[in-house]
Amino acid sequence: MSRGGGRGPSLKDKLDGNELDLSLCDLNEVPVRELAALPKATILDLSCNNLISLPSDFCSLMHLVKLDLSKNRLQQLPLDFGRLVNLQHLDLLNNRLVTLPVSFAQLKNLKWLDLKDNPLDPVLAKVAGDCLDEKQCKQAAVKVLQHMKAIQAEQDRQRQRKLQAEREMEKKREAEQRAKEAQEREVRKREKAEEKERRRREYDAQKAAKQEMEKKTKKEHVQTRKPASSSRPPQPARHKRSWSRSVLRVLLFVLLCVICTLAACKLTELQHQPLCVSVNTLYEDVLAALQNHKTLQNMLHQNSQQ
């Protein structure tokens, strides 16, 4: 393995039992592929190098139990650093770390932690405390894990609240969409009803106009036929006048017969006959009765004048 991150066959030569010491090698990057080929190396020392960051596949080295990254220039750890679930001892002394990834809370086996000489966030620095002896470093591991678990739980709650808010927002949008669709259906229904009503009115108007036209045409037709038909009504009048004339003629004939009979009974020798005596008596009785009634007398007077 050469300086500056070079790789070489000498990496196995540095393995001593389960310990692999890569400190003071002037490394700019971690040889993850070669380290993955050495699963026996559960203790890895990468201190006193020039590491600025760790590659994302570094977290695949899940066989690591003890890791020393002190005295580098690390500004952050990989987001999935918590995949190193077997890690028990972690030394991050003298780096440039400000925060730790939330996945750090998953390091459930971590029992020793040193975060001294890092520009940590004030809250995290207060939680971690000092690591001047074994007891303090163990307490730092416990407290930092608890702190990171609390952050993870809070983030989970925020994520749940966000998901819930998104679900509610989605439900609201769906409800609004359904309301909009219902409103559109109602508008279409109303427009359809209005269209039906308009067509019904048009139909009624056309029907009325047609009836009016038929009535007008019929009236014109009747008026056209009126001269021919107007000659017919006088026929009953003529029949009536003919009947009246017939009755009048009969009455006149009867009256003439009565007058002739009276004249014969009054002026001839037949006046002494029994029939004429009866006729003369009846005439005198009728004449007397008529003279007793003023109205009839007036009528007789008017008739006599006429």
Side-chain angles (χ1 to χ4, degrees):
M1 182 180 67
S2 61
R3 292 178 180 273
R7 300 183 181 91
S10 60
L11 188 58
K12 289 184 178 180
D13 297 336
K14 293 181 175 293
L15 183 61
D16 183 8
N18 64 342
E19 294 186 24
L20 181 60
D21 187 359
L22 297 180
S23 63
L24 298 172
C25 291
D26 199 22
L27 295 176
N28 294 319
E29 60 182 23
V30 180
V32 177
R33 184 173 298 178
E34 287 80 357
L35 292 174
L38 299 173
K40 292 183 179 180
T42 59
I43 300 176
L44 178 60
D45 188 354
L46 290 171
S47 62
C48 301
N49 282 293
N50 299 317
L51 300 176
I52 297 175
S53 63
L54 299 177
S56 57
D57 57 350
F58 181 84
C59 300
S60 64
L61 304 176
M62 298 174 62
H63 59 278
L64 294 178
V65 175
K66 183 177 180 179
L67 177 61
D68 189 350
L69 291 169
S70 62
K71 298 179 181 177
N72 278 281
R73 293 182 293 170
L74 295 173
Q75 298 179 2
Q76 61 182 7
L77 299 178
L79 295 177
D80 57 346
F81 193 79
R83 290 176 59 194
L84 303 175
V85 292
N86 293 313
L87 201 60
Q88 299 180 14
H89 185 109
L90 178 60
D91 192 346
L92 293 170
L93 171 71
N94 195 12
N95 276 280
R96 299 177 182 178
L97 298 172
V98 177
T99 60
L100 297 175
V102 178
S103 65
F104 200 91
Q106 300 173 14
L107 300 177
K108 57 183 179 179
N109 293 313
L110 190 65
K111 296 179 176 58
W112 194 98
L113 177 63
D114 189 357
L115 287 171
K116 291 193 309 296
D117 299 331
N118 280 280
L120 295 174
D121 176 82
V123 176
L124 180 59
K126 183 177 180 180
V127 170
D130 292 328
C131 182
L132 302 176
D133 54 35
E134 190 74 10
K135 182 179 179 180
Q136 288 182 342
C137 293
K138 289 181 178 181
Q139 289 179 348
V142 173
K143 292 179 179 180
V144 170
L145 280 178
Q146 291 176 348
H147 177 68
M148 298 309 298
K149 286 179 180 178
I151 292 176
Q152 186 181 46
E154 180 59 27
Q155 287 190 355
D156 289 342
R157 286 192 294 271
Q158 290 180 356
R159 187 161 48 251
Q160 289 296 326
R161 286 194 292 268
K162 184 178 179 180
L163 289 174
Q164 183 66 24
E166 290 177 352
R167 289 194 206 100
E168 291 178 356
M169 184 62 66
E170 182 65 23
K171 289 181 180 179
K172 184 178 179 181
R173 283 196 294 268
E174 291 176 356
E176 291 176 351
Q177 183 65 25
R178 287 194 297 270
K180 183 179 179 181
E181 292 174 355
Q183 186 177 7
E184 290 175 353
R185 286 195 299 270
E186 186 64 26
V187 170
R188 289 195 296 270
K189 184 177 180 181
R190 186 168 60 252
E191 290 176 349
K192 188 175 181 179
E194 291 175 353
E195 179 65 16
K196 284 184 177 181
E197 180 63 20
R198 184 183 65 80
R199 292 189 179 184
R200 187 189 65 78
R201 289 196 298 267
E202 289 180 355
Y203 173 77
D204 292 343
Q206 291 174 359
K207 186 176 180 181
K210 185 177 180 181
Q211 291 176 350
E212 184 66 24
M213 183 63 69
E214 291 176 353
K215 188 184 295 185
K216 185 177 180 181
T217 303
K218 186 175 180 181
K219 185 176 180 181
E220 291 176 353
H221 183 66
V222 170
Q223 289 177 351
T224 303
R225 296 177 59 186
K226 190 174 181 180
S229 61
S230 61
S231 60
R232 293 179 183 178
Q235 291 179 358
R238 285 204 302 270
H239 290 306
K240 186 176 181 181
R241 286 197 295 270
S242 299
W243 183 79
S244 299
R245 289 174 182 175
S246 299
V247 173
L248 183 60
R249 287 172 183 173
V250 171
L251 291 174
L252 289 174
F253 177 75
V254 172
L255 182 61
L256 181 61
C257 292
V258 171
I259 292 172
C260 290
T261 302
L262 287 174
C265 289
K266 286 284 187 182
L267 300 176
T268 65
E269 295 177 354
L270 296 175
Q271 60 183 340
H272 299 290
Q273 294 294 325
L275 177 62
C276 289
V277 172
S278 298
V279 170
N280 290 330
T281 303
L282 179 62
Y283 171 74
E284 290 174 358
D285 291 340
V286 170
L287 186 62
L290 291 174
Q291 288 176 351
N292 290 330
H293 199 289
K294 286 185 177 182
T295 303
L296 294 176
Q297 288 177 358
N298 292 332
M299 290 177 63
L300 290 172
H301 180 68
Q302 291 176 359
N303 289 332
S304 63
Q305 288 179 352
Q306 292 177 357

